[in-house]
Amino acid sequence: MCDDQLDWIEAEGYHLALDGSEIVCRNAKGTKLKTVPAKARKTGQYQELLATRDFLDQHTDQCKSTVLAWFLAGEEIPVVLLGQVWTDPAWRHWLEDLVVCSSGTVGLLKGADENNLHLVDLDGESVTVTVTDTAVATIPHPAGMVDIDDWREFAVELGVHQNLDQLLREIHPKPADEKTQREAVRAYDGGVYEQASHLLGRGRGGGFKTSLQEISVTVTENGVNTTAVLDVTAWSPEDEATLGTLGFTRSGRTVALADVGPVAWSEGIRMAEYIYSARTKEKDTKN
């Protein structure tokens, strides 16, 4: 951000400001310094900026996790809520340019206010969705979008960048035959991390629920919650961790692969591929 746009505060002969997630400093002459001097770091103003930065970072993370949850749950989001949060840069960061659907109208979300959602449809036309007390919107998953290829091509043409991975999200189509389905979920069995702590970091960093026993992600499809679970064998963070088979559950009960929907399947394979790709040892293929 340009220095003139920052909100500078005086601190013991220096001026401090928050530039994104970085605290910056300039001296009494207005020269921006490469680092914040120790004297300025000891001031109450510096500590206040630290607290503000931490609060904003936490808020941004909460916005991200909320929008991701809406997306994976196929949740109906009140349109009035989108209009209310749009003025917040943190919310807007994760919502802008997502494909949303409301009452049959589908488009890239470009703006929202108290009266309308402003979208761009697949024909490049600007369309609006009226904000009412009952109107809702959803963020469709690409595995369930029949025109996903058209949307991807359109987004590339427009130079669209989504901060939440939707249109360019990896999709893993479910194989049609049972034999290939079984082979797919067993492909990760035997992958090894030399230290389970690395596996824990990988799983949590990817946004998955992670423990020394399993890594999982839950999606909602046609109103039903399905959890994809990758088994893990590890005794402590310092020990090796061995990956097992990918499975699917509903309310704690195993779901037959034939009954797993395309979105749950895609997200489960995506999770397993992400975890397996960072293994530190090749699995033992000896009989």
Side-chain angles (χ1 to χ4, degrees):
M1 184 181 294
C2 177
D3 289 356
D4 292 339
Q5 296 178 323
L6 298 177
D7 294 323
W8 295 94
I9 58 174
E10 195 277 332
E12 296 293 334
Y14 295 96
H15 286 85
L16 303 172
L18 192 59
D19 188 0
S21 293
E22 181 185 6
I23 297 176
V24 293
C25 179
R26 66 186 184 189
N27 60 23
K29 296 181 180 180
T31 302
K32 189 174 179 180
L33 306 178
K34 292 182 178 180
T35 59
V36 180
K39 181 180 179 181
R41 288 177 179 269
K42 295 177 181 179
T43 64
Q45 293 89 335
Y46 183 82
Q47 297 304 316
E48 289 176 6
L49 286 179
L50 276 179
T52 300
R53 182 189 67 181
D54 292 344
F55 170 79
L56 292 175
D57 287 346
Q58 183 181 34
H59 175 58
T60 297
D61 289 343
Q62 289 175 338
C63 293
K64 177 185 178 181
S65 61
T66 300
V67 177
L68 180 61
W70 288 343
F71 169 62
L72 292 179
E75 190 166 334
E76 293 186 339
I77 311 156
V79 169
V80 66
L81 175 61
L82 295 177
Q84 291 170 346
V85 301
W86 189 261
T87 55
D88 184 329
W91 280 105
R92 190 164 62 250
H93 177 81
W94 297 112
L95 289 168
E96 192 167 18
D97 280 328
L98 292 181
V99 175
V100 298
C101 178
S102 179
S103 301
T105 301
V106 183
L108 296 167
L109 182 58
K110 293 293 186 179
D113 53 44
E114 62 182 7
N115 297 314
N116 297 290
L117 299 186
H118 303 277
L119 313 178
V120 173
D121 66 18
L122 200 50
D123 295 322
E125 299 294 330
S126 296
V127 294
T128 59
V129 172
T130 302
V131 173
T132 67
D133 291 339
T134 58
V136 294
T138 58
I139 306 169
H141 192 284
M145 296 172 65
V146 295
D147 51 0
I148 182 60
D149 290 338
D150 293 333
W151 274 110
R152 285 177 168 175
E153 182 179 351
F154 182 58
V156 170
E157 289 177 356
L158 290 184
V160 166
H161 172 74
Q162 294 181 316
N163 291 305
L164 184 75
D165 187 12
Q166 181 197 27
L167 288 180
L168 298 183
R169 195 176 190 83
E170 290 180 38
I171 300 175
H172 299 273
K174 182 181 174 182
D177 62 290
E178 185 178 348
K179 179 176 181 294
T180 307
Q181 292 172 9
R182 291 198 304 269
E183 291 173 349
V185 298
R186 293 172 180 169
Y188 317 100
D189 196 351
V192 175
Y193 279 71
E194 290 183 351
Q195 285 192 317
S197 59
H198 297 161
L199 174 65
L200 294 174
R202 178 73 170 174
R204 291 167 183 167
F208 308 115
K209 186 176 180 181
T210 305
S211 71
L212 293 175
Q213 290 76 46
E214 63 183 36
I215 301 170
S216 65
V217 62
T218 300
V219 303
T220 305
E221 198 168 1
N222 298 321
V224 178
N225 292 336
T226 301
T227 301
V229 181
L230 181 63
D231 289 334
V232 175
T233 300
W235 299 104
S236 75
E238 294 75 27
D239 290 337
E240 277 191 351
T242 303
L243 304 180
T245 300
L246 176 66
F248 298 86
T249 65
R250 290 181 189 140
S251 301
R253 297 182 179 180
T254 300
V255 178
L257 297 181
D259 296 331
V260 177
V263 174
W265 178 272
S266 182
E267 286 297 314
I269 296 294
R270 176 180 176 273
M271 175 188 71
E273 288 285 342
Y274 177 81
I275 298 300
Y276 187 72
S277 66
R279 68 196 184 282
T280 49
K281 289 184 180 181
E282 292 295 330
K283 62 183 180 180
D284 187 358
T285 57
K286 295 179 181 181
N287 295 324

